Amino acid sequence: MTTKSDVLIIGGGPVGLSCAYYLLKSGRKVTLLDAKEIGKGSGSGNAGHIVPSHIIPLAAPGVVTSALKWMLDPAHSPFGMKVSLDPNYILWLLKFVLACNDGNVQRSIKPLNDLGQLSAKNFAQIIAEEKFDCSYQEKGLLFLYKTEKAFHDGRHEGEFMQKHGIPVSVYDKAKIHEVEPAALDDIIGGVHFTGDSHLNPAVFLKLLSDRVRAMGAEMLENTPVTGFESAGGKVKVVRTSAGAFEAEHVILAAGALSSSVARDLKLNIPIQPARGYSMTMSATKTMPSHALILGERRIAVSPMGGILRFTGRLEVGNYSMEPNPVWLERIENSAREYLRLDEKLDVKETWAGLRPTTPDGMPIIGRSPKHNNLIFATGHAMLGLSLGPGTGQVVAELINGKETAFDLRPLSLERF
């Protein structure tokens, strides 16, 4: 039996749910399916940072050199990679290395800035309109530094961001301890991206999922896609474990699994998983007052009401979602280098999730070059939550034949 749908969304994470929300608001009928539980995948355990300040892509000058240096210090390295002879993986690595140049940064700044600013605006609007209680705070993102070199590099990056309209404040040692009392005495300075915000991602996604369901979406959990049938430049049938679907429009928002889900479509979707970790604990006696990045260690810190979360590590090519206890311990140890923490933390949850990473560090948003009813909304790396509402809006505009909020051509699959 084949079910007919208006818009079929594959993937129930931050991006898929955001697409559903904006399509439903525009009057479309939506079927949303996920291979596991909707709203409880990799987006739920992340740092919860909403960061329009992140306009520099993952593939940038100096990244390869830094990664090699980090790998010589495995006890503290924020970066890791799987050793594999898989041709697709090796090709992805080669493309990533070649993309780590200034030209890629210059090409990426405007689309990442446009998408980031739109998403930040949409987050504030959704949370206000829907009255979501998800520990949302517009207090910026504060980077803490222990060494002169890292502080110098942080200030330099902040100056670069300011030239592109990102609000930045730089704090000396006296000011940083006034602003963030949880910082240890040897923190020498900080850079504050004051236009950023943060929330509890699991709570936000649960509220958004409930709202999307209440708006009339058909929600199918534990329903993996098993294949596609294409003809005449269209996706004709999407086969799933729950039966076949014929949809006017299909949105691929399957995150790190997008390439494997779409293998029948014979498209080059160059996405590799990048595993990250988080640990969540009860509030500490001296809670950080801001969302933080611990500069030299690249650890994200997120106060979320009565809980505190540390997030870190980027392991390219690893599909496992099993948290590695060695790395969780190292993340905690790194956090203790910067923050006043209780002697024993009351850890409530440990997590590992997969970020869908493209070779140039930008998402893939736009129509398929071979199927006029297939739209990609994937490849957001660590920014799937942060860029979800903006992606949802432009995908809805695309499907409804409207002019999109900004030019999507730099984000198309055809750039590869």
Side-chain angles (χ1 to χ4, degrees), residues 22 29 65 75 99 136 140 151 173 179 187 197 205 212 231 264 270 282 284 307 309 321 340 356-357 393 398 410 416:
Y22 283 97
K29 292 183 179 176
T65 305
Y136 175 68
F151 187 27
K173 184 165 185 174
V179 168
I187 301 300
S197 51
L205 292 173
V212 163
D264 279 5
S282 300
T284 53
I307 61 173
R309 177 170 292 167
M321 293 177 67
R340 303 180 196 284
T357 310
Q393 178 182 323
L398 206 55
F416 299 112

Side-chain angles (χ1 to χ4, degrees), residues 267-290:
L267 291 164
N268 170 36
I269 307 173
I271 286 175
Q272 284 291 327
R275 182 167 65 174
Y277 299 93
S278 75
M279 56 190 300
T280 307
M281 64 222 70
S282 300
T284 53
K285 290 188 185 74
T286 307
M287 277 285 274
S289 55
H290 296 82

Side-chain angles (χ1 to χ4, degrees), residues 119-153:
S119 280
K121 177 177 72 72
N122 286 356
F123 262 113
Q125 190 171 3
I126 290 171
I127 289 165
E129 285 184 3
E130 305 294 351
K131 298 180 172 57
F132 285 175
D133 182 5
C134 54
S135 302
Y136 175 68
Q137 289 193 305
E138 295 179 332
K139 296 182 71 174
L141 180 64
L142 180 58
F143 282 64
L144 302 182
Y145 297 103
K146 292 170 68 79
T147 62
E148 287 291 352
K149 183 186 184 307
F151 187 27
H152 172 271
D153 292 346

